[in-house]
Each structure stands twice: as structure tokens, then as C-alpha cells.
Amino acid sequence: MAQAHSAHVEAGQRLTPAVRAELREAIASAGGNEIFAIGNLDEAGLICSIEVVARGTADAVPALGPYFEKGSVLIHNHPSGFLQPSDADVGIAAEAGSYGVGSYIVDNEVAEVFVVAEPVRRKTYRVLDEVGLAGALDRGGKLSQKMPAFEPRESQIAMTSDVASVFNNGGILAAEAGTGVGKSFAYLVPAIAWALGNEERVVISTATITLQDQLFAKDIPLVSSIFKKKPKAVLIKGRGNYLCKRRLAEAIEEERILLDAESPLKRIQAWNEAGCSGDRADLPFRVDDQVWSRVCSEADACLSIRCPSRERCHVLAVRKSAADAQVIVVNHHLLFADISARQRGSGLEQTSILPAYTSLVLDEAHSIEWSATSLFTESLTRFSVLKKLARLWRKHRTSQFGVLSKLSAMPCVAAKDLKAFDPAMKEIQAAMGDLEASALRLFGTETTIRLRDKSPEIVQAICEPAGRLQRAILALTKAVTELLDALPESRAQDPAVFELKLIARGFNELADLAARIKDFDANPDSIIWLEKSRTSQKDIFISFNATPLEVAAILERSVFEKIRTVVCTSATLSVGGTFDFWMKRVGINRQRPDVETRHYASPFPFSTNALLAVDTGAPNPQRAKEAYKAYVGEAVVRLLVASRGRALVLFTSYDILSATYEKARPVMEKAGIACLRQGMDDRSRLLSMFRNDISSVLFATDSFWEGVDAPGETLSMVVITKLPFRVPSDPIQQARAEAVEKRGGSSFMEISVPEAIIKFKQGFGRLIRHSEDRGVAVVLDSRLATSSYGQLFVESLPRCRLIPDKIDGIEREVARFLDE
């Protein structure tokens, strides 16, 4: 526990100048009100870095537990300038001290510090035996004793040693591990050794559920078995995967008259009462998304310590389980959601998702830029607006629900206090409808529009309606504020009052987004764009989006500068032998002395077992689109006949996929070969059918370029119909390309080509998944052979035999090679 210690000292004795300035800025941005920050000590005992985690008053600081890490310090200010700790401050210090965390109070000018309690100083790290850990994966090593068929791989042994080194010394390791290296074992052995030896938490983040499940269910238990002490490992999913007991009860109450025992809500209730995990994946029956969305946990609907079901909360149970775990497995989206929550530090309720950690492994790290881009994109739709309005007030048959209905039952709330809400809510609905209708008129055949210039048409269709929506939302939040101000102090902690505050905060965020849409040209660091989509019922709707122009600075600040040890690994991080493109996009400063890059070659015999063929006679897909579309259909059929099925055909266009599938299916079915198409079933079942039916052919696009693992004869050929450049009209791609051009660079060579190469490597990587696999990758895009940049694509692949030829020759070579 932290040591109690009372001292009133000058701030310079405890905080570095940079931290003092950062604290002053944070206090000023909070209007001089109380803030809370977590500080980290340097070797001299000065706080050298901070993270602002909350703003408000002191009553909910115990909810900041996930931010606490032994040896850190909780800092908060007293706006009055009187630094003597109150009873509440002493309670806070005791709570923090239970984590080994110190507690300081500062004034708003950060000139003085009152030390309430000193932190427990961190012990010296226990250094890993790099050679010994690498030996666990060598011949006769501990892992080989657990796996009879284990084969030592030099590249895996080298990677294990390098990962152990970065855990020992801190810093960043970018590790490109070719197919078959066994990268998960190479980082798990040192990660688990570090977690156990130093009582330090390690977070492992992946892009796909497939890898997440493999790590948690298979790889971590196996690697853990070589250690005397077994680490506690926990898999954490996003909130939306877990049942909220309070929301379930409210949904049941709302539908009570119409429910029978077999209705989805009643079945979920029975599952919940039987002592379930709350994880949707564990449901013994299928529930559609619309039903689940009514009962799942949501951050902006969570009542936290005021929830009547808090002690039985499924999300809280997962967090409590993670609190003492040594290894935590998450996905990139959840990781960045946690980072976003920590950055905002808004309110006093617990906003973080993960407990504190100092070591992070980013597997499938090639995708983190776009994972972060997706997470940090804010969206406004009529559904998001209506959902928030329904939480405020809704009528269902003869009954009323929502927080206003709860408040109206309070004796202190009069009908006149609620009178302003009905017209305000109606105005929001009308304004949102007006904005969506006018935006829809801007669309032709395209599905996305980026807002660039304030033409009279855009001002009338977007800016003016967005301004109306902003004003309508602010009028509603004003009514909320007036209602809250009128409530007696005794009602301040009432769950319904807190829920109203949550809803108001959500509406303020929507108003802020509406303002940014209205003034889209005022912030060059944001991309404001619209997307036309359809619901499952085929209804058209528009989403209004704000995306960061770059995420590199966000990732640099929140990941690579804050976390002691970061291991980034993937089979596809380099382009033409260098990591520069990927590192620049994700915010890793190459000049840092603690950054290491390593390439671990695949142990598989690509030079003898793989062919790369490119049709030099294929029509140019950009200059002759119709001719190219017809050519792809014919070429794919010929190649599938030559390979006797056993293929994955990858597309960049759903339109060409559909046309090719329809052309190939009758020919293949006549030969007794099943044709599978993306969308005909969910991904996992589709892949299972493909793996189990050796001769089958899978036609797919986008996500199937990666994460498909089908070793053996079932995947003997990969057909890449087109080099996977992003669509140039994509609003995010377009804006980022323009930013490069404005800096005097070439967006094509600096963004388009490197991105396409990384995805191309992923597609090619589906081919050889085992040391005995043989296969052919055929590229139906002549630019691979004829363009100035085509060689970069080839050089980025494992070395194998290249066959540039016309389709006739390739057809013969495919049949010959696969029959050997």
C-alpha cells in the first residue's frame, strides 16, 4: 500500500516543467474546475508524464481503478487554492493507495503540491533470459516436449529472442514474420515469461476474431503449459457483446403484454436467470441484431455505480476478472476504444475498458491504421438521433418510457418542468429529416460524397440544415440543463438524474458533430463525408461522418510514446524490403533509438513449391473496363478448369465478382465442382465448407484477402483478378492523397502503391500455409509486368518462380505444375 505522508512543497520538487505546463493547460481547458490525472515517475522521482483521466468532482474517483498502476501518482487540483486534503481526499488517497498509487493535490497554477501519500516505488525489472527462452522453441526445448510433431524454425527462434530483448529494454519492435514462422509462439513465450516474472500485465491485440479465438483457446494454454506457474489469461470483447441486465428488464417491461415464453426477449431472460456469462457468443440460440441492440451493454447508457444491477453486471464481471490477469487478449477496435476513452477522460464515471498495462503486442499490425481510422470516425444518422430521443422519452401503446417518464414520477418534478421537451424533440426530428432529405438529393449513382468546397448547393443542402439540427439539439440540452438545475440537491445521485446527464452529454456530442458538418471547411484535420446505405429492410439512409485526416499523431501520442514495450507483428509490414511506409502511417518515429525492425523469412520452400504467373495480355482494368470485365470471366473459367477447382478467386469489385461467379458456376457444377460465393453464408461456415470440399472454389473480395487459412490441396490456386488499389473516389483515401500532394509528394507512390502491395502480399499469403503445400498464384492484371511499380509488388513477395505469359501459356503451366 502507498505510504501516508503529508508535505506541502513547491511543484518543481515533484513535477517536471513540462508536466506542470500540461496540467495548467488541462485545468484551464476544464474551466478551472477539478481534474484528475495519473502521473508516472522518472528515475529522479519527478512526475515526467501524465494522462488526464477525469474531470468533475471527487465522488466517483474510485471508478478510476483501471488507470492505476503501482508506482504511479493520482493528481488532482483544488480550484480554491486551499490544498489541505478533505475527508473525501483522504478516502481517494486510500483507494489509490490500495493499488500502490500515490496521491498529490495541486493548485490551479500548479505552483504548489500537497503530498497526501507517496507511491510505492517500482521494483527493478526481472530480466528475461533471452537465449533460454528462445531455446524453448529449439530442438529438444520445452515446447517440443509438449508437441510431438514440433519442428524447430530458425526464424521463430530468432524472433523469440528479439521479442524477449524488447521486453527487457523497452521500446518498439516491428517484426515482419513470413508465413510459417509461428509468430504467435515467438511472442507468447517471452510475453508470458515477462508477465509472470515481473507481475506486469501484457495486452495482446489482434485484428480478426479468428486469431483472437486461436490465441485464447489454443496458443496461450499451450505456451502456458511450459511454465511452472500458469498465467491468468482473459479474453475481453467490446461492450456490445455483453448483455445488460437493466436494459433487458426495461425491454421486458415495455413488451410485457405481447411476450410469450418463446419470444427472443423471454428466451434471453431465461438464459440470463440460468447464470449465463452474458456473452452473446455463448447464447444457445440465435438472436437477430435488432433484438440484441435493445438489451446489450452500451457505454453511453451505462449507469455505472448507480445501476441497480451493478453487482451482477456482466461487463463489470469481465473487468474484475481482467484486473488480476497477466495476459489480456483484445481486438484492435476495443484497444482503440479504450485509448479513446482514456484520451477523453470525460466525467467521473469509469470510461476505460482495460486495466492499466505497460506492454502491448499488436498482432496483424498491418491493419492498425485503418482500425484506428474506423474507431476515431464519428457518425451521425437519423437512427443515432432517434435512439437518443427514445432514451429520453418514448410511447409504446398506452405506456410511456424513457428517463423523462421516470423523472415525471418524482414529486419534485412538475408537468410544467417537462413542457419544453416535446416541441424540442419534434424540432430535432424535423431538422434531422430535413438534413437527410436534402443530402440525399446530392447523390447520383455514387454512394459516398466528400464535402470539400462550400458551393451554394452544398450550403443549402448541408450547411443550413446541419445548422438547424445543431440549434435544435442545443435547445433540447438547454431544457435538460434547466430541469437539472431545478432539481433539489437531494436528487443529484438519483439513477434517473444521472441517466439524464448521460443523455445530455450524448446530445452535446451530436450537436458538436452537427457544427463540424456545418463548418466542414473550418478544420483541415478532419474529413467530412456522407455515405448512402440501406438497412436490412432496404430503406435508404445517409450517414454524416467525421474522420481524422491522419491517425499517426494519435497513435504516436497514445500508444508508441506512452507504452513501455510495444511489439508489432504481421506477415505484411514491409514494402520493397523497408518498413518506412507502415511506420510513417501509424506514427512510429524511425529516428527513435529504441525502435527495431526485423524481417523473419518464411521457412516454407516458396522457390520450389510456388509459382507466380501474370497475364501480360490482359486488358488494362482502368482503360478498358468492359473488355477487362469480360476477360476476367473467361480467364477465371479457363484457370479453374486447368486447376480442377481447388481455388480462391479474389476480387476488388462485387460487380465483377458477381458476373464471374455466374459465368463460372454452370461450367464448374457440370464438372462436379462446387462454387462458393462470399455472402451466401456467414464467413466461418463458408470457409469451413471450402476447407472440407477439396475441389470447391471460393469467390470472394475484401476481407477474404486475409485471414483465410486452408492448408493442403483444397487451396492449390489463388487468382488475383486485379491489383488491390483502393478506390480513388473513397473520401478518406482521396483526402489523405491530397494532403500528400500538398506537401509536394506523390500520393500514388507514397500511399496507393504501398497500401496495394501490403494487401497483395496478404492475398498471395493465402497460397502456401504448410511446408508441403504447392500452389500457383495467377494475377490477371498486366500492370504487374508492364508498369514501373510492378516490380515493387514482386520484390515484396517471398522469392518464387515468376511466369509472365499470355493466358494460354499460363493455363497450361497451371495444369502441369499442379499435376506434378
Side-chain angles (χ1 to χ4, degrees):
M1 192 162 174
Q3 304 167 9
H5 181 85
S6 294
H8 204 156
V9 300
E10 290 185 358
Q13 296 180 36
R14 295 289 175 154
L15 314 171
T16 65
V19 164
R20 292 174 67 187
E22 190 174 350
L23 272 173
R24 280 194 294 268
E25 183 180 345
I27 292 167
S29 68
N33 294 314
E34 207 164 0
I35 70 163
F36 295 83
I38 299 296
N40 298 304
L41 301 178
D42 62 15
E43 296 295 326
L46 294 178
I47 293 177
C48 59
S49 66
I50 61 167
E51 179 179 4
V52 177
V53 294
R55 299 173 179 86
T57 55
D59 61 346
V61 169
L64 297 175
Y67 294 101
F68 294 159
E69 188 74 6
K70 184 186 291 184
S72 60
V73 178
L74 174 65
I75 310 163
H76 77 281
N77 61 307
H78 278 187
S80 66
F82 181 70
L83 303 190
Q84 192 70 24
S86 65
D87 290 344
D89 292 329
V90 173
I92 291 168
E95 174 74 15
S98 68
Y99 293 86
V101 174
S103 182
Y104 294 177
I105 302 172
V106 300
D107 60 345
N108 277 16
E109 296 303 315
V110 197
E112 296 181 315
V113 174
F114 194 103
V115 180
V116 184
E118 298 281 8
V120 174
R121 297 301 297 270
R122 181 177 297 284
K123 64 181 182 181
T124 304
Y125 285 120
R126 180 179 176 184
V127 177
L128 299 180
D129 178 359
E130 297 167 18
V131 174
L133 287 174
L137 286 89
D138 206 345
R139 194 177 306 279
K142 290 183 178 179
L143 206 55
S144 68
Q145 296 168 21
K146 300 286 183 179
M147 301 173 65
F150 181 82
E151 296 178 5
R153 306 164 190 177
E154 289 184 13
S155 51
Q156 186 183 54
I157 294 168
M159 181 175 169
T160 305
S161 177
D162 290 340
V163 172
S165 176
V166 78
F167 270 102
N168 280 336
N169 301 308
I172 301 166
L173 173 65
E176 182 174 71
T179 308
V181 166
K183 58 183 168 61
S184 60
F185 284 3
Y187 64 68
L188 283 175
V189 169
I192 290 173
W194 181 264
L196 291 173
N198 290 287
E199 297 181 352
E200 291 272 335
R201 194 176 291 110
V202 178
V203 171
I204 301 172
S205 182
T206 76
T208 61
I209 293 174
T210 303
L211 180 55
Q212 196 178 21
D213 290 344
Q214 177 189 313
L215 285 170
F216 187 70
K218 182 181 175 185
D219 295 351
I220 291 174
L222 181 57
V223 172
S224 297
S225 69
I226 72 173
F227 293 92
K228 290 181 181 178
K229 182 181 177 183
K230 304 297 183 284
K232 179 180 179 181
V234 173
L235 172 65
I236 302 182
K237 301 177 182 179
R239 263 187 180 275
N241 290 282
Y242 299 101
L243 177 69
C244 172
K245 291 175 180 286
R246 180 181 64 83
R247 295 190 73 211
L248 172 63
E250 289 180 353
I252 293 285
E253 172 65 18
E254 193 165 331
E255 302 287 346
R256 63 186 184 280
I257 298 173
L258 299 179
L259 295 180
D260 57 44
E262 291 304 309
S263 67
L265 287 175
K266 278 291 189 181
R267 295 183 73 188
I268 293 173
Q269 183 184 45
W271 174 65
N272 176 54
E273 290 172 351
C276 68
S277 66
D279 187 341
R280 183 181 184 181
D282 295 336
L283 271 170
F285 50 89
R286 296 191 68 165
V287 171
D288 66 40
D289 291 343
Q290 189 172 2
V291 172
W292 185 254
S293 69
R294 294 185 63 187
V295 299
C296 66
S297 178
E298 293 181 340
D300 63 356
C302 179
L303 299 186
S304 191
I305 59 174
R306 296 165 183 81
C307 180
S309 300
R310 178 173 174 80
E311 296 306 313
R312 298 173 294 119
C313 174
H314 296 300
V315 172
L316 195 61
V318 173
R319 287 180 174 174
K320 285 180 178 177
S321 179
D324 63 345
Q326 286 87 31
V327 179
I328 297 176
V329 181
V330 299
N331 62 30
H332 294 339
H333 192 274
L334 179 63
L335 177 75
F336 295 133
D338 178 70
I339 287 169
S340 176
R342 290 171 184 273
Q343 279 186 333
R344 290 197 307 273
S346 55
L348 280 170
E349 298 307 316
Q350 179 175 310
T351 54
S352 70
I353 300 163
L354 305 177
Y357 58 95
T358 57
S359 300
L360 172 65
V361 177
L362 290 164
D363 203 338
E364 301 176 310
H366 63 278
S367 66
I368 61 174
E369 180 191 3
W370 285 95
S371 293
T373 296
S374 173
L375 189 281
F376 289 107
T377 293
E378 299 170 77
S379 296
L380 168 69
T381 69
R382 74 169 182 268
F383 303 117
S384 61
V385 171
L386 292 174
K387 185 174 182 179
K388 282 183 169 55
L389 289 173
R391 286 183 58 202
L392 199 57
W393 183 87
R394 62 190 181 276
K395 188 173 182 179
H396 190 60
R397 291 188 290 275
T398 58
S399 301
Q400 295 181 11
F401 300 92
V403 68
L404 292 182
S405 177
K406 298 173 187 175
L407 290 170
S408 67
M410 293 181 180
C412 58
V413 177
K416 64 180 179 59
D417 297 325
L418 304 177
K419 187 176 288 187
F421 284 93
D422 184 56
M425 292 172 68
K426 286 178 178 175
E427 172 60 10
I428 289 175
Q429 291 185 60
M432 185 66 223
D434 181 31
L435 174 61
E436 185 172 50
S438 60
L440 186 57
R441 289 192 287 271
L442 295 175
F443 283 85
T445 57
E446 71 273 29
T447 57
T448 59
I449 294 175
R450 177 175 154 229
L451 301 183
R452 303 172 67 177
D453 302 312
K454 277 193 172 177
S455 65
E457 182 185 25
I458 294 296
V459 169
Q460 184 179 11
I462 302 297
C463 302
E464 292 175 357
R468 178 189 173 190
L469 177 63
Q470 179 200 10
R471 292 190 298 273
I473 294 173
L474 290 177
L476 179 68
T477 58
K478 181 174 180 288
V480 170
T481 301
E482 290 173 351
L483 176 59
L484 290 171
D485 288 345
L487 292 174
E489 185 65 30
S490 60
R491 288 290 187 175
Q493 299 303 315
D494 191 286
V497 174
F498 181 71
E499 188 176 0
L500 182 61
K501 290 179 181 178
L502 280 180
I503 295 170
R505 184 171 66 184
F507 272 115
N508 278 324
E509 290 171 354
L510 286 183
D512 176 68
L513 182 52
R516 281 182 283 148
I517 293 166
K518 179 189 67 169
D519 301 319
F520 64 84
D521 57 341
N523 186 359
D525 293 329
S526 284
I527 307 163
I528 307 297
W529 55 287
L530 320 180
E531 184 172 26
K532 182 173 70 172
S533 306
R534 289 183 182 272
T535 66
S536 56
Q537 285 78 38
K538 307 301 181 185
D539 293 329
I540 294 175
F541 70 97
I542 306 295
S543 58
F544 301 81
N545 309 291
T547 298
L549 180 61
E550 306 287 351
V551 295
I554 298 172
L555 296 179
E556 180 179 28
R557 184 174 62 251
S558 57
V559 177
F560 300 113
E561 288 184 350
K562 286 219 177 227
I563 300 173
R564 179 184 180 274
T565 300
V566 184
V567 177
C568 305
T569 186
S570 168
T572 55
L573 293 180
S574 69
V575 173
T578 174
F579 291 75
D580 290 353
F581 164 73
W582 174 80
M583 292 173 70
K584 184 177 181 181
R585 299 304 303 172
V586 301
I588 298 177
N589 182 356
R590 189 63 190 263
Q591 304 307 311
R592 280 178 53 168
D594 59 350
V595 174
E596 299 285 346
T597 60
R598 295 285 187 273
H599 176 78
Y600 307 97
S602 170
F604 295 161
F606 278 89
S607 59
T608 58
N609 286 24
L611 294 182
L612 174 63
V614 53
D615 185 358
T616 56
N620 187 298
Q622 289 182 305
R623 296 176 195 155
K625 293 182 179 179
E626 289 305 314
Y628 171 74
K629 183 176 179 180
Y631 152 78
V632 168
E634 180 183 341
V636 166
V637 171
R638 293 175 65 177
L639 291 168
L640 293 178
V641 170
S643 68
R644 303 193 307 280
R646 304 179 292 171
L648 172 65
V649 188
L650 294 172
F651 297 83
T652 61
S653 159
Y654 284 102
D655 181 44
I656 297 180
L657 183 156
S658 298
T660 305
Y661 173 81
E662 294 301 333
K663 190 174 183 70
R665 185 177 59 171
V667 179
M668 293 295 100
E669 289 180 350
K670 190 174 182 180
I673 295 171
C675 284
L676 307 173
R677 171 184 173 172
Q678 182 177 349
M680 65 188 295
D681 207 331
D682 71 40
R683 179 187 168 94
S684 60
R685 280 196 289 269
L686 202 57
L687 286 175
S688 179
M689 288 187 282
F690 177 59
R691 292 189 194 100
N692 294 333
D693 185 347
I694 290 177
S695 67
S696 65
V697 178
L698 176 56
F699 295 76
T701 183
D702 200 26
S703 63
F704 284 76
W705 283 71
E706 55 185 279
V708 175
D709 188 14
E713 191 181 348
T714 191
L715 207 169
S716 296
M717 181 173 69
V718 172
V719 180
I720 295 175
T721 57
K722 184 181 175 184
L723 295 181
F725 290 102
R726 285 188 186 272
V727 180
S729 60
D730 175 88
I732 300 171
Q733 186 79 357
Q734 193 180 75
R736 289 176 174 173
E738 286 177 9
V740 171
E741 298 288 340
K742 284 180 182 177
R743 294 196 294 265
S746 166
S747 61
F748 184 69
M749 293 306 297
E750 291 182 36
I751 296 182
S752 300
V753 168
E755 278 189 348
I757 288 174
I758 286 176
K759 189 157 187 174
F760 181 75
K761 289 170 69 175
Q762 284 287 335
F764 179 86
R766 303 311 98 210
L767 187 64
I768 305 294
R769 308 299 297 175
H770 189 274
S771 60
E772 296 178 1
D773 284 355
R774 287 172 57 83
V776 182
V778 182
V779 181
L780 302 180
D781 191 331
S782 59
R783 292 176 295 178
L784 187 70
T786 61
S787 69
S788 58
Y789 53 81
Q791 191 60 30
L792 263 177
F793 281 79
V794 176
E795 289 173 354
S796 298
L797 297 178
R799 189 164 296 176
C800 58
R801 186 150 67 93
L802 176 64
I803 302 174
D805 203 347
K806 301 286 178 60
I807 191 67
D808 293 344
I810 293 173
E811 185 181 3
R812 289 192 296 272
E813 189 62 29
V814 166
R816 184 198 64 76
F817 185 81
L818 295 181
D819 284 342
E820 283 184 355

